[in-house]
Amino acid sequence: MEKIGRTSVSLETREAFQNNRRLQIGARAFDILEVLIQARGKIVTKHEIMSHAWPNLIVEESNIHVHLSALRKQLGDDGRAIQTVPRRGYRLVPLDDEAIVHRGKKSAMLPTSPSIEFEPLPVCYTPLIGRENEIGEIAHALQDTPVVTLLGPGGAGKTHLAIEAARSMRANGRVDVCFLSLAPVLRREQVLNAAAEAFGIEPFDEQLLLPKLLDAVADRRILLVLDNCEHVLEEAARLTERLVQASANLRVLSTSREALRSRNETLLWVAPLLVPGLDATHEEILACPSVEAFLAFAGSWTSDLTNEPENVDTIASVCRRLDGLPLALELAAARARVFGLRQLACEVADDPFRTLTGGRRTAPARQRTLLGMLDWSYQLLGELERDVLHRLAAISGHFHLGDAQTVAAVDRVSKADVTEAIAGLVSKCLVIRTPGREKDDYSLLGTTREYALRRLDRLVKNAESSLERIRHRDRSAEGRSTARASRSGSRADRVVPDLKSTQNPHGAW
Ligand SMILES: Nc1ncnc2c1ncn2[C@@H]1O[C@H](COP(=O)(O)OP(=O)(O)OP(=O)(O)O)[C@@H](O)[C@H]1O
Ligand SMILES: [Mg+2]
C-alpha cells in the first residue's frame, strides 16, 4: 500500500481508501495517480501523463486537467500532495500533517487548493550595481503596504532590482516568490490567464480562473513580482487589488514605466545609475555606478582597459551620453567588444540609435536595441503626448512649465493641452520632474530628447516627401491638362499634410 497523507493506495488492485472508505476514482484519474506515485517525487511532464493514461492516442491537454481535478476532489485535503509545477508538470510531495489538520478545520468553508512550486527567479547575468540601499527600502516598504511599484524609465534596471529584492526577501523572510513577467502578454484579457498559469491553475474553465487564483493565494505568504506592467496597467491594477483583498499575507512588487494607480500602492523611483560629473577625477569616475556597470557588462575584455587614463575619460563620456541607463550601457559594452572603445565613443556621440542595436538574442525585442527600448514607451503615448514630446525636444536642459507652454502651445495645442500632456509624460517616465522650492523643474533624458527629435525629423521628412509627391502629381496633372491644372491652382498648398496624421504609431525606422 502506498500512503498519501491519510489515503492508502494499492497499485495492484487499483483502489484507494480513506478511513476504510473506498474512493471513487475513475480509470484515467487512477492512471494519473499511478504515474505520479511511480515517479517517487520527481516531476512528471504532461506528455508523460498523456502517454501513460492515453497510450497511442493523441488527446487534448484539457483532459489531464479534468481528470486531475476529479482526482484531487476525491483525495480531499490529501489532494494537496499533488503539486503543480507551472509549465513543467506535476509531482507528489510529502504532506505536512499540521497543514492538513489546519486546513481540515477550514475545509468546510474553503475548497482545497493544490500546492504550487513556483518557477525559479530569472537569472541576472551581472551582479546588481549601485543599488546598495534599494533592496532594504523595498523590503521595508512591503512591510507597511501590500503593493510596491518600482517606477522608472525604460532600461533603468527595474526588473533586475525587483528580482534581487525578491531573492533577498525569499532568503530572509521565508516567503514564496512567484515571478510573472507581463511583457510577453500583449493582449489585456490574457493577464488573468498568465497569472493563473504562474500559479499552476489549469485553464480548463475561464470562469473559475479568478476564484481558483484567489484560493491559491489565501493564507499564504507569497510575494508576487508583476514585472513590466506598463502596457496592461488596468488589468494589472485590478488583479493586484483582488489578490491583495484575498490574502493579508500577499505582497505585490510590480515594475512598470507607469504607476498602476491601484489601491495602497507605494511608488519607488528607480533612477538611472549615477554618471560621473564633468570635473570628476579618475578615481571618482571609476567609483561611479554607471562606469562600474559598463565595465561589468564589458566583462573579461576590460581587464586592462582602465590602465590607460584616456580610456577612463572615454568611458565616462559614454556613460554621460547614455544617461547612465543600464540597458544602454549593456548594449554599448557589447558594441565596444566588437569595435573597440574609441570607435564606440565616436559612434555613440554621433548616433547612439544606429549603434546600439546588438542586444542579447535572448532579450525581449524591446531590450535588443536602444530604439526598441524607447519605441516601447512611445507606442503607449496618446497623440497629444507625442505631439508635445516632439516639441519639448527643442528645449535642452531643464525647463519650467511656463517654458514648455511657450515652446509647445502652438497651432492647435493650447497651454492647457501642454500641461495635460506633460502630466501624462511625467507619469510615463518620459519627462523627469524634479520638485523645486518654488516651481517644479522638468527635463528629458538626453536619449529621450534625441529620440523625440528623430521622430520629429522623420515626421517632417514624411510630410515633405508627401508634399513632394503631391506636387509631383499636380505637375503631372498640369502637363496632361492645362485647363484642369489652372483650376487646381495652389492645390498643393491646401493639402499640406497634417503632421499628426502622417505619423506611424508603430513604424520601425
Ligand atoms: N543595477 C544594475 N547592475 C547591473 N546590471 C543592471 C543593473 N540594472 C540593470 N541592469 C541590467 O541592465 C539590463 C536592463 O535592466 P532591466 O531589464 O532591469 O531594466 P528595466 O528598467 O526593467 O527595463 P524595461 O523598462 O525595458 O523593462 C539588464 O540586462 C539588467 O540585468
Ligand atoms: Mg523590466
Side-chain angles (χ1 to χ4, degrees):
M1 280 280 185
E2 307 284 341
K3 288 295 250 181
I4 301 172
R6 294 168 300 134
T7 310
S8 310
V9 184
S10 163
L11 294 183
E12 273 168 26
T13 60
R14 293 177 63 85
E15 287 173 311
F17 297 90
Q18 269 179 11
N19 303 328
N20 296 324
R21 183 176 63 86
R22 188 172 178 275
L23 303 182
Q24 300 297 311
I25 299 177
R28 299 291 190 212
F30 200 93
D31 287 340
I32 296 176
L33 182 60
E34 184 177 51
V35 71
L36 287 171
I37 289 175
Q38 285 166 349
R40 303 267 160 235
K42 291 216 183 85
I43 294 175
V44 182
T45 64
K46 289 183 179 172
H47 180 73
E48 285 164 343
I49 290 181
M50 281 188 202
S51 34
H52 185 82
W54 292 271
N56 309 321
L57 274 182
I58 297 174
V59 293
E60 288 200 1
E61 214 178 279
S62 57
N63 283 294
I64 299 184
H65 309 152
V66 170
H67 291 288
L68 198 61
S69 167
L71 174 61
R72 279 178 168 142
K73 209 168 182 179
Q74 279 297 309
L75 292 174
D77 273 332
D78 290 346
R80 296 179 64 242
I82 303 175
Q83 186 182 56
T84 305
V85 186
R87 289 185 262 264
R88 289 165 67 199
Y90 305 91
R91 70 170 164 203
L92 275 185
V93 291
L95 278 174
D96 163 357
D97 283 348
E98 218 180 295
I100 297 171
V101 174
H102 171 71
R103 288 198 66 82
K105 274 194 212 146
K106 292 186 158 191
S107 58
M109 292 174 289
L110 273 179
T112 305
S113 53
S115 69
I116 314 156
E117 182 188 283
F118 295 116
E119 286 202 350
L121 278 166
V123 175
C124 295
Y125 294 97
T126 37
L128 186 71
I129 292 166
R131 309 278 190 209
E132 285 73 25
N133 303 322
E134 278 82 344
I135 289 191
E137 279 170 21
I138 293 168
H140 190 256
L142 280 168
Q143 276 174 3
D144 298 336
T145 171
V147 187
V148 169
T149 296
L150 303 184
L151 183 70
K158 305 175 290 294
T159 298
H160 193 137
L161 180 56
I163 291 170
E164 294 306 339
R167 207 186 302 283
S168 148
M169 288 176 69
R170 190 176 56 188
N172 295 333
R174 291 179 50 237
V175 62
D176 286 332
V177 175
C178 174
F179 182 90
L180 171 57
S181 171
L182 291 180
V185 179
L186 296 179
R187 296 207 339 262
R188 290 157 187 268
E189 57 280 11
Q190 289 295 320
V191 170
L192 180 60
N193 292 60
E197 197 185 341
F199 276 83
I201 294 162
E202 314 295 357
F204 66 93
D205 186 347
E206 292 273 325
Q207 299 300 317
L208 289 178
L209 280 187
L210 187 60
K212 281 185 168 238
L213 189 55
L214 299 182
D215 180 45
V217 298
D219 297 335
R220 297 196 181 148
R221 266 175 73 79
I222 294 178
L223 172 66
L224 170 62
V225 181
L226 268 189
D227 190 40
N228 278 93
C229 300
E230 55 275 331
H231 56 303
V232 285
L233 286 167
E234 234 176 275
E235 290 67 24
R238 208 172 301 136
L239 175 68
T240 298
E241 287 191 358
R242 295 300 303 266
L243 291 174
V244 164
Q245 271 169 11
S247 168
N249 286 326
L250 179 95
R251 295 287 183 268
V252 178
L253 176 60
S254 65
T255 81
S256 183
R257 297 187 188 182
E258 182 172 3
L260 260 55
R261 285 202 258 131
S262 68
R263 215 169 292 149
N264 296 324
E265 181 186 24
T266 295
L267 299 176
L268 293 183
W269 173 248
V270 180
L273 295 173
L274 271 183
V275 298
L278 283 170
D279 53 357
T281 62
H282 280 188
E283 208 178 321
E284 286 165 344
I285 291 175
L286 289 173
C288 207
S290 57
V291 173
E292 218 185 304
F294 178 86
L295 292 172
F297 293 138
S300 52
W301 170 77
T302 55
S303 52
D304 50 8
L305 188 71
T306 52
N307 289 345
E308 282 197 38
E310 198 190 315
N311 285 347
V312 176
D313 291 320
T314 310
I315 296 172
S317 74
V318 168
C319 290
R320 279 194 292 268
R321 177 88 169 112
L322 299 177
D323 304 308
L325 282 170
L327 179 65
L329 296 173
E330 192 177 6
L331 296 171
R335 181 82 177 177
R337 234 180 286 158
V338 181
F339 293 103
L341 185 61
R342 217 162 294 160
Q343 174 71 13
L344 166 82
C346 294
E347 289 178 345
V348 161
D350 183 39
D351 186 349
F353 293 101
R354 188 162 343 131
T355 306
L356 301 184
T357 54
R360 267 181 296 116
R361 241 176 265 288
T362 49
R366 104 182 163 278
Q367 295 202 328
R368 266 179 244 160
T369 66
L370 185 63
L371 200 59
M373 181 189 96
L374 280 150
D375 279 342
W376 177 261
S377 284
Y378 187 83
Q379 71 184 2
L380 297 173
L381 297 181
E383 221 175 293
L384 177 67
E385 288 169 337
R386 287 180 186 186
D387 211 353
V388 170
L389 180 69
H390 301 151
R391 295 172 192 208
L392 291 180
I395 312 175
S396 80
H398 288 242
F399 56 88
H400 293 304
L401 194 54
D403 307 324
Q405 287 171 336
T406 309
V407 169
V410 284
D411 298 340
R412 289 142 295 143
V413 178
S414 67
K415 286 187 175 178
D417 287 340
V418 174
T419 310
E420 190 193 319
I422 288 188
L425 290 166
V426 168
S427 72
K428 291 172 177 144
C429 298
L430 283 167
V431 169
I432 314 284
R433 183 171 67 91
T434 316
R437 232 181 296 153
E438 284 171 25
K439 288 193 226 167
D440 287 348
D441 232 20
Y442 299 89
S443 61
L444 269 61
L445 288 176
T447 38
T448 309
R449 177 169 178 248
E450 207 146 316
Y451 176 89
L453 284 172
R454 287 182 136 244
R455 278 277 174 188
L456 185 62
D457 194 39
R458 170 112 180 154
L459 291 177
V460 170
K461 278 198 185 122
N462 274 351
E464 278 169 357
S465 71
S466 306
L467 188 56
E468 194 42 50
R469 268 202 308 279
I470 290 161
R471 284 196 176 125
H472 176 74
R473 197 181 60 199
D474 285 353
R475 277 197 297 273
S476 314
E478 260 173 52
R480 280 198 302 276
S481 159
T482 341
R484 271 170 64 201
S486 68
R487 274 204 305 277
S488 71
S490 58
R491 185 167 151 209
D493 295 339
R494 284 186 278 119
V495 281
V496 171
D498 177 357
L499 280 188
K500 280 186 178 173
S501 63
T502 56
Q503 67 193 33
N504 169 9
H506 304 292
W509 288 0

